[in-house]
Amino acid sequence: MAYKIVVDSSCDLTDEMKSWNNISVIPLTLQIGDYVILDDENFDQDDFINRVANSNEPARSACPAPTAFADACEGEEDDVYIVCITDKLSGCYNSALQGVEFFKEEHEDVKKNIHVFNSLSAAGHETLIAMKIHELASKGLPFDEVVTEVEKFSLENSGLYFCLESFDAFKNNGRLFSIAAKVIEAVRVKLICGRGQDGNITLAGKDLTESRALGKLVSFIAKDTQGCDLADKKVIITHVCCEEKANKVATMIKDKCGYKDVTVLKGGGLNSLYASNGGILVAFSK
């Protein structure tokens, strides 16, 4: 049966994914003062980060309207899989649920399977979820089976850690978690954070230098994947204006964890806004 994958723009696409003819991206809106753009294929990371650095106004984001998700459900496909950033950081997931309801109300005679995944995460983790959907659905697995397997993959067989230079964007948008706020107020340290099972950000560790913090991040991944067969597993590293750092982390992960498939991606608009200049996000399957 024909299927479609719909993602929000927190899901950074690999070159291979861009070649798929059955994936569409619903962009969020980014704003710095009077400057407003869509987080789409025209996003310029370097220009955006430069604007953030030179503005007295904080950068903000707005999720797509439900109608954008409703429109994405149109088409001849029998199955539609929608992947959204964690509902703890954005209204995308709720907007998608409303959009699906709008679509069903307007197409009562259309028999179509639609599921909205709350990724409980962001960035490369959404990328891995979309890849998993594609892997299973392309084999012809039934819709319900794909949903069950992907939900399990998201919760049990994948993860995300990140290390940022600044948490100002989280703080300015009211999304800074209390545990990190206390640490930041106490001393200027490098934080290694992860995604909790409920979709909230958790503090995994901290260190005084970037080099040691990144080393700890890789060690956390090594611990989480200990005993796992990683031969066909993937790592997605998203970076914000720090490709050299991202490549260094990629090498560390290959050497310490044993991954062979590590992809480095330049972050899209939403991820660039929140991860900020110098931010690194590492998603992995296991």
Side-chain angles (χ1 to χ4, degrees):
M1 296 178 68
Y3 68 95
K4 175 193 290 188
I5 301 172
V6 179
V7 298
D8 61 35
S9 58
S10 177
C11 179
D12 293 318
L13 304 186
T14 65
D15 288 340
E16 178 188 355
M17 294 169 75
K18 291 175 183 177
S19 71
W20 297 351
N21 60 9
N22 61 345
I23 187 168
S24 59
V25 181
I26 308 297
L28 281 84
T29 301
L30 309 176
Q31 181 173 3
I32 309 171
D34 295 331
Y35 177 71
V36 182
I37 58 169
L38 284 177
D39 180 15
D40 58 16
E41 68 276 4
N42 298 313
F43 174 74
D44 185 326
Q45 186 185 79
D46 296 321
D47 176 72
F48 183 79
I49 291 300
N50 185 58
R51 288 176 183 272
V52 171
N54 291 293
S55 175
N56 293 323
E57 304 243 11
R60 303 194 183 280
S61 65
C63 69
T67 50
F69 290 100
D71 292 344
C73 293
E74 299 280 356
E76 299 301 317
E77 296 84 3
D78 305 289
D79 302 335
V80 180
Y81 305 96
I82 303 175
V83 184
C84 294
I85 184 174
T86 174
D87 62 341
K88 301 302 189 296
L89 292 180
S90 171
C92 270
Y93 176 66
N94 288 327
S95 185
L97 291 177
Q98 292 178 42
V100 171
E101 288 307 310
F102 290 167
F103 175 83
K104 290 180 177 178
E105 289 172 4
E106 294 178 1
H107 302 80
E108 293 182 359
D109 58 333
V110 175
K111 301 296 183 182
K112 191 184 288 269
N113 300 310
I114 307 173
H115 182 78
V116 183
F117 293 93
N118 179 0
S119 71
L120 300 175
S121 194
H125 192 255
E126 283 189 66
T127 307
L128 291 175
I129 291 173
M131 286 179 167
K132 193 66 175 179
I133 294 169
H134 179 71
E135 173 194 335
L136 298 176
S138 64
K139 294 177 180 177
L141 267 67
F143 178 81
D144 289 343
E145 189 172 336
V146 172
V147 169
T148 298
E149 288 298 315
V150 172
E151 292 285 14
K152 180 180 179 181
F153 169 80
S154 176
L155 285 172
E156 302 178 12
N157 301 114
S158 56
L160 174 77
Y161 288 106
F162 57 92
C163 186
L164 310 184
E165 291 292 315
S166 169
F167 281 84
D168 288 347
F170 284 94
K171 186 161 52 178
N172 292 336
N173 286 272
R175 293 178 172 88
L176 185 61
F177 46 109
S178 59
I179 188 170
K182 292 177 182 177
V183 173
I184 291 172
E185 288 170 3
V187 61
R188 208 58 193 170
V189 296
K190 302 296 181 183
L191 303 179
I192 307 102
C193 299
R195 66 101 186 223
Q197 290 293 297
D198 61 352
N200 274 311
I201 297 171
T202 61
L203 179 62
K206 58 184 183 294
D207 215 306
L208 294 176
T209 69
E210 175 182 274
S211 178
R212 294 197 316 202
L214 293 176
K216 282 187 176 179
L217 184 154
V218 175
S219 293
F220 290 144
I221 296 174
K223 182 179 179 181
D224 286 356
T225 58
Q226 187 173 12
C228 297
D229 181 2
L230 304 178
D232 61 344
K233 302 303 187 291
K234 304 177 185 296
V235 175
I236 305 292
I237 301 177
T238 299
H239 75 87
V240 184
C241 299
C242 57
E243 186 174 6
E244 184 177 345
K245 187 198 299 186
N247 287 330
K248 176 183 176 182
V249 173
T251 299
M252 292 166 65
I253 289 173
K254 289 178 180 179
D255 291 344
K256 185 159 189 173
C257 306
Y259 281 98
K260 304 256 190 280
D261 191 344
V262 180
T263 302
V264 174
L265 299 175
K266 198 170 187 176
L270 189 71
N271 297 329
S272 297
L273 190 166
Y274 282 104
S276 300
N277 191 19
I280 292 280
L281 303 98
V282 184
F284 57 96
S285 60
K286 58 181 179 177

